[in-house]
Amino acid sequence: MKKLILTTATLALIGGAAAAQDVVRLGTEGAYPPYNYIDDTGEVAGFERELGDELCVRAELTCEWVTNDWDSIIPNLVAGNYDVIIAGMSITAERDEVIDFTQDYYPPTASAYVASAEDVDVMGGVVSAQTATIQAGYVAESGATLLEYATPDETIAAVRSGEADAVFADYDYLAPVVEASGGELMFVGERVPLGGGVGMGIRESDAELKEAMDAAITSMKEDGSLNELLVKWFGDAVMTY
């Protein structure tokens, strides 16, 4: 990958411009580990918590965290309930018609199927997915019967209960679930590349904020700190920049 270069002066200039906004509210789901989740103290935690906090420091922004259900996360950004979505959201052309995205902070990755038996028909059976995700859209067009659920946990529970033959989600979300299942759950079928990486969603009217976040992401890519966070939260096999 081409080396990304950003001068300290440029980053400071952009950060200073965006800092005119008193508090930047970062909206996340809090239910999609290891990207984001709520810890034992009731605080947002995970990869995106660490990442978001560091991006705000680099952009010289004062930030606070807000949680929101996934199925209304874009409408509530547009409505002004928070200023940024940082919630494991894949960059897609359909979403980009409604909001803007920063550059990706997580490289394009694969989605995968998980089931409780190896002989599941993922193309013709019943497959669960979280509502309003690219995975749900893919299942709907695949020939399988789609069962949509509001949360990722519910999609897994549907497989365990027998309501669904398989669940389709981000591989990196499913991997620790499979590992923790003790053999109850397993990957089946082929991995499917979807989306253009994960980015921060920002209102189209907030051009300065988008520029500030883009600059901060670029600086983390250039100095290697973003790769360090990716490996910390997703393991040595994760794709890096």
PDB file of all heavy atoms in Angstrom, residues 26 36 47 52 54-55 62 65 77 80 91 210-211 222 239:
ATOM      1  N   LEU A  26     -20.156  11.096  19.311  1.00  0.00           N
ATOM      2  CA  LEU A  26     -19.858   9.893  18.548  1.00  0.00           C
ATOM      3  C   LEU A  26     -20.939   8.847  18.810  1.00  0.00           C
ATOM      4  O   LEU A  26     -21.105   8.391  19.943  1.00  0.00           O
ATOM      5  CB  LEU A  26     -18.489   9.334  18.943  1.00  0.00           C
ATOM      6  CG  LEU A  26     -17.303  10.300  18.859  1.00  0.00           C
ATOM      7  CD1 LEU A  26     -16.026   9.600  19.299  1.00  0.00           C
ATOM      8  CD2 LEU A  26     -17.154  10.862  17.447  1.00  0.00           C
ATOM      9  N   ASN A  36     -17.467  -2.635  18.993  1.00  0.00           N
ATOM     10  CA  ASN A  36     -18.014  -1.790  20.057  1.00  0.00           C
ATOM     11  C   ASN A  36     -18.923  -2.618  20.946  1.00  0.00           C
ATOM     12  O   ASN A  36     -19.618  -3.513  20.469  1.00  0.00           O
ATOM     13  CB  ASN A  36     -18.754  -0.584  19.472  1.00  0.00           C
ATOM     14  CG  ASN A  36     -19.897  -0.997  18.559  1.00  0.00           C
ATOM     15  OD1 ASN A  36     -20.989  -1.323  19.024  1.00  0.00           O
ATOM     16  ND2 ASN A  36     -19.662  -0.989  17.245  1.00  0.00           N
ATOM     17  N   PHE A  47     -12.709  -1.799  20.040  1.00  0.00           N
ATOM     18  CA  PHE A  47     -11.805  -1.220  19.044  1.00  0.00           C
ATOM     19  C   PHE A  47     -12.198   0.207  18.701  1.00  0.00           C
ATOM     20  O   PHE A  47     -11.362   1.119  18.675  1.00  0.00           O
ATOM     21  CB  PHE A  47     -11.808  -2.106  17.794  1.00  0.00           C
ATOM     22  CG  PHE A  47     -11.260  -1.457  16.564  1.00  0.00           C
ATOM     23  CD1 PHE A  47      -9.913  -1.117  16.476  1.00  0.00           C
ATOM     24  CD2 PHE A  47     -12.076  -1.200  15.468  1.00  0.00           C
ATOM     25  CE1 PHE A  47      -9.389  -0.513  15.333  1.00  0.00           C
ATOM     26  CE2 PHE A  47     -11.564  -0.610  14.321  1.00  0.00           C
ATOM     27  CZ  PHE A  47     -10.225  -0.260  14.250  1.00  0.00           C
ATOM     28  N   GLY A  52     -11.867   5.949  18.267  1.00  0.00           N
ATOM     29  CA  GLY A  52     -12.560   7.227  18.287  1.00  0.00           C
ATOM     30  C   GLY A  52     -11.930   8.218  19.241  1.00  0.00           C
ATOM     31  O   GLY A  52     -11.785   9.402  18.920  1.00  0.00           O
ATOM     32  N   GLU A  54      -8.811   8.341  20.182  1.00  0.00           N
ATOM     33  CA  GLU A  54      -7.531   8.797  19.627  1.00  0.00           C
ATOM     34  C   GLU A  54      -7.747   9.763  18.462  1.00  0.00           C
ATOM     35  O   GLU A  54      -7.029  10.766  18.337  1.00  0.00           O
ATOM     36  CB  GLU A  54      -6.700   7.604  19.173  1.00  0.00           C
ATOM     37  CG  GLU A  54      -5.368   7.961  18.513  1.00  0.00           C
ATOM     38  CD  GLU A  54      -4.408   8.695  19.430  1.00  0.00           C
ATOM     39  OE1 GLU A  54      -4.561   8.607  20.682  1.00  0.00           O
ATOM     40  OE2 GLU A  54      -3.484   9.365  18.916  1.00  0.00           O
ATOM     41  N   LEU A  55      -8.727   9.503  17.615  1.00  0.00           N
ATOM     42  CA  LEU A  55      -9.008  10.407  16.500  1.00  0.00           C
ATOM     43  C   LEU A  55      -9.422  11.783  17.017  1.00  0.00           C
ATOM     44  O   LEU A  55      -9.024  12.810  16.455  1.00  0.00           O
ATOM     45  CB  LEU A  55     -10.106   9.821  15.601  1.00  0.00           C
ATOM     46  CG  LEU A  55      -9.741   8.555  14.829  1.00  0.00           C
ATOM     47  CD1 LEU A  55     -10.958   8.034  14.074  1.00  0.00           C
ATOM     48  CD2 LEU A  55      -8.584   8.811  13.855  1.00  0.00           C
ATOM     49  N   THR A  62     -13.281  17.845  21.357  1.00  0.00           N
ATOM     50  CA  THR A  62     -13.863  17.308  22.580  1.00  0.00           C
ATOM     51  C   THR A  62     -15.033  16.417  22.174  1.00  0.00           C
ATOM     52  O   THR A  62     -15.968  16.874  21.510  1.00  0.00           O
ATOM     53  CB  THR A  62     -14.365  18.435  23.496  1.00  0.00           C
ATOM     54  OG1 THR A  62     -13.270  19.274  23.856  1.00  0.00           O
ATOM     55  CG2 THR A  62     -14.998  17.860  24.753  1.00  0.00           C
ATOM     56  N   TRP A  65     -19.611  10.049  23.896  1.00  0.00           N
ATOM     57  CA  TRP A  65     -20.163   8.852  23.257  1.00  0.00           C
ATOM     58  C   TRP A  65     -21.663   8.740  23.512  1.00  0.00           C
ATOM     59  O   TRP A  65     -22.145   9.008  24.611  1.00  0.00           O
ATOM     60  CB  TRP A  65     -19.450   7.603  23.760  1.00  0.00           C
ATOM     61  CG  TRP A  65     -18.054   7.508  23.216  1.00  0.00           C
ATOM     62  CD1 TRP A  65     -16.926   8.086  23.729  1.00  0.00           C
ATOM     63  CD2 TRP A  65     -17.650   6.833  22.028  1.00  0.00           C
ATOM     64  NE1 TRP A  65     -15.842   7.809  22.934  1.00  0.00           N
ATOM     65  CE2 TRP A  65     -16.247   7.034  21.879  1.00  0.00           C
ATOM     66  CE3 TRP A  65     -18.318   6.074  21.080  1.00  0.00           C
ATOM     67  CZ2 TRP A  65     -15.524   6.502  20.816  1.00  0.00           C
ATOM     68  CZ3 TRP A  65     -17.606   5.537  20.016  1.00  0.00           C
ATOM     69  CH2 TRP A  65     -16.230   5.753  19.886  1.00  0.00           C
ATOM     70  N   LEU A  77     -28.569  10.079  12.974  1.00  0.00           N
ATOM     71  CA  LEU A  77     -27.456  10.959  12.614  1.00  0.00           C
ATOM     72  C   LEU A  77     -27.980  12.137  11.803  1.00  0.00           C
ATOM     73  O   LEU A  77     -27.663  13.298  12.091  1.00  0.00           O
ATOM     74  CB  LEU A  77     -26.405  10.198  11.801  1.00  0.00           C
ATOM     75  CG  LEU A  77     -25.303  11.075  11.193  1.00  0.00           C
ATOM     76  CD1 LEU A  77     -24.348  11.593  12.272  1.00  0.00           C
ATOM     77  CD2 LEU A  77     -24.527  10.319  10.111  1.00  0.00           C
ATOM     78  N   GLY A  80     -29.660  14.782  13.720  1.00  0.00           N
ATOM     79  CA  GLY A  80     -28.844  15.613  14.589  1.00  0.00           C
ATOM     80  C   GLY A  80     -28.696  15.101  16.006  1.00  0.00           C
ATOM     81  O   GLY A  80     -28.222  15.834  16.885  1.00  0.00           O
ATOM     82  N   ILE A  91     -18.874   0.929   4.257  1.00  0.00           N
ATOM     83  CA  ILE A  91     -19.105   1.986   3.279  1.00  0.00           C
ATOM     84  C   ILE A  91     -19.765   1.374   2.050  1.00  0.00           C
ATOM     85  O   ILE A  91     -19.218   0.475   1.408  1.00  0.00           O
ATOM     86  CB  ILE A  91     -17.779   2.646   2.884  1.00  0.00           C
ATOM     87  CG1 ILE A  91     -17.096   3.250   4.120  1.00  0.00           C
ATOM     88  CG2 ILE A  91     -17.998   3.716   1.814  1.00  0.00           C
ATOM     89  CD1 ILE A  91     -15.658   3.658   3.888  1.00  0.00           C
ATOM     90  N   LYS A 210     -15.772  16.102   8.667  1.00  0.00           N
ATOM     91  CA  LYS A 210     -15.303  14.978   7.857  1.00  0.00           C
ATOM     92  C   LYS A 210     -13.826  15.151   7.506  1.00  0.00           C
ATOM     93  O   LYS A 210     -13.033  14.205   7.595  1.00  0.00           O
ATOM     94  CB  LYS A 210     -16.125  14.857   6.578  1.00  0.00           C
ATOM     95  CG  LYS A 210     -15.644  13.761   5.620  1.00  0.00           C
ATOM     96  CD  LYS A 210     -16.512  13.716   4.369  1.00  0.00           C
ATOM     97  CE  LYS A 210     -16.013  12.658   3.403  1.00  0.00           C
ATOM     98  NZ  LYS A 210     -14.682  12.942   2.849  1.00  0.00           N
ATOM     99  N   GLU A 211     -13.435  16.373   7.124  1.00  0.00           N
ATOM    100  CA  GLU A 211     -12.047  16.630   6.764  1.00  0.00           C
ATOM    101  C   GLU A 211     -11.120  16.405   7.962  1.00  0.00           C
ATOM    102  O   GLU A 211     -10.024  15.834   7.824  1.00  0.00           O
ATOM    103  CB  GLU A 211     -11.912  18.065   6.243  1.00  0.00           C
ATOM    104  CG  GLU A 211     -10.544  18.375   5.651  1.00  0.00           C
ATOM    105  CD  GLU A 211     -10.480  19.761   5.035  1.00  0.00           C
ATOM    106  OE1 GLU A 211     -11.475  20.518   5.121  1.00  0.00           O
ATOM    107  OE2 GLU A 211      -9.422  20.096   4.468  1.00  0.00           O
ATOM    108  N   GLU A 222      -0.435   6.498   8.671  1.00  0.00           N
ATOM    109  CA  GLU A 222       0.951   6.816   8.323  1.00  0.00           C
ATOM    110  C   GLU A 222       1.932   6.432   9.431  1.00  0.00           C
ATOM    111  O   GLU A 222       3.027   5.944   9.157  1.00  0.00           O
ATOM    112  CB  GLU A 222       1.056   8.315   8.011  1.00  0.00           C
ATOM    113  CG  GLU A 222       2.292   8.705   7.205  1.00  0.00           C
ATOM    114  CD  GLU A 222       3.534   8.843   8.090  1.00  0.00           C
ATOM    115  OE1 GLU A 222       3.401   9.234   9.266  1.00  0.00           O
ATOM    116  OE2 GLU A 222       4.636   8.571   7.583  1.00  0.00           O
ATOM    117  N   MET A 239      -6.381  -7.970   8.327  1.00  0.00           N
ATOM    118  CA  MET A 239      -5.803  -7.152   7.249  1.00  0.00           C
ATOM    119  C   MET A 239      -5.415  -5.795   7.824  1.00  0.00           C
ATOM    120  O   MET A 239      -6.158  -5.215   8.615  1.00  0.00           O
ATOM    121  CB  MET A 239      -6.816  -6.966   6.111  1.00  0.00           C
ATOM    122  CG  MET A 239      -7.120  -8.228   5.325  1.00  0.00           C
ATOM    123  SD  MET A 239      -8.291  -7.907   3.981  1.00  0.00           S
ATOM    124  CE  MET A 239      -7.338  -6.753   2.983  1.00  0.00           C
TER     125      MET A 239
END
